[in-house]
């Protein structure tokens, strides 16, 4: 069996990032469905101020996406100085993975909050974060403005996304 490490291609980076994004979204969705199915005596309570998660989940549901957006913009700016399309795409991939992870964490915490308390209040935040995460799907039209391509890189990227 040949197990040599082959260099990643630009098209491979885009495909892998799309697959990883879909896996993150699917894992949140499936975990939520399973927990929803196994949790008994579910209720909706907006006034359970004794539970610490009652405050932690909404705060993280707001702070997570804000921090993820800030870090994404901060780290993607560093990609502008890269000379090749491949370097820019690799930097984009790293930045996007950080962004996705900072949204997935609070979403999973909301599901765990529901699992431990049976309060559907937490699922509201997880569902909202999942919808937001789905909207962050990496597409060529999202990548172009973020990476500040020069003319040669733009042509190479256009050729890459047509195939």
């Amino acid at each position: 069996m040949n197990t040599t490490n082959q260099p990643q291609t630009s098209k491979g980076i885009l495909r892998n990032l799309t697959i990883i994004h879909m896996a993150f979204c699917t894992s949140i969705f499936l975990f939520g469905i399973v927990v929803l199915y196994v949790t008994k005596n579910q209720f909706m309570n907006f006034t359970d101020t004794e539970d610490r998660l009652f405050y932690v989940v909404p705060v993280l549901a707001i702070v997570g996406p804000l921090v993820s957006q800030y870090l994404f913009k901060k780290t993607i700016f560093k990609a502008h100085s890269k000379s090749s399309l491949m370097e820019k795409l690799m930097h984009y991939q790293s930045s996007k993975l950080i962004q996705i992870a900072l949204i997935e964490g609070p979403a999973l915490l909301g599901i765990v909050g529901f699992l431990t308390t049976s309060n559907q209040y937490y699922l509201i935040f997880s569902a909202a974060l999942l919808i937001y995460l789905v909207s962050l799907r990496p597409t060529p039209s999202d990548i172009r403005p973020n990476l500040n391509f020069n003319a040669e890189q733009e042509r190479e990227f256009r050729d890459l996304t047509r195939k």
Side-chain angles (χ1 to χ4, degrees), residues 131-150:
I131 291 167
Y132 177 62
L133 187 58
V134 168
S135 75
L136 293 177
R137 185 175 68 93
T139 62
S141 60
D142 174 52
I143 294 170
R144 265 189 198 95
N146 282 310
L147 291 181
N148 197 24
F149 293 140
N150 61 31

Side-chain angles (χ1 to χ4, degrees), residues 15-26 93 97 100:
R15 185 185 64 241
N16 289 344
L17 190 55
T18 302
I19 291 169
I20 290 168
H21 176 264
M22 187 172 53
F24 273 92
C25 292
T26 304
Q93 180 180 28
L97 289 175
I100 291 169

Side-chain angles (χ1 to χ4, degrees), residues 62 65 121 140 144:
I62 294 168
Y121 163 81
R144 265 189 198 95

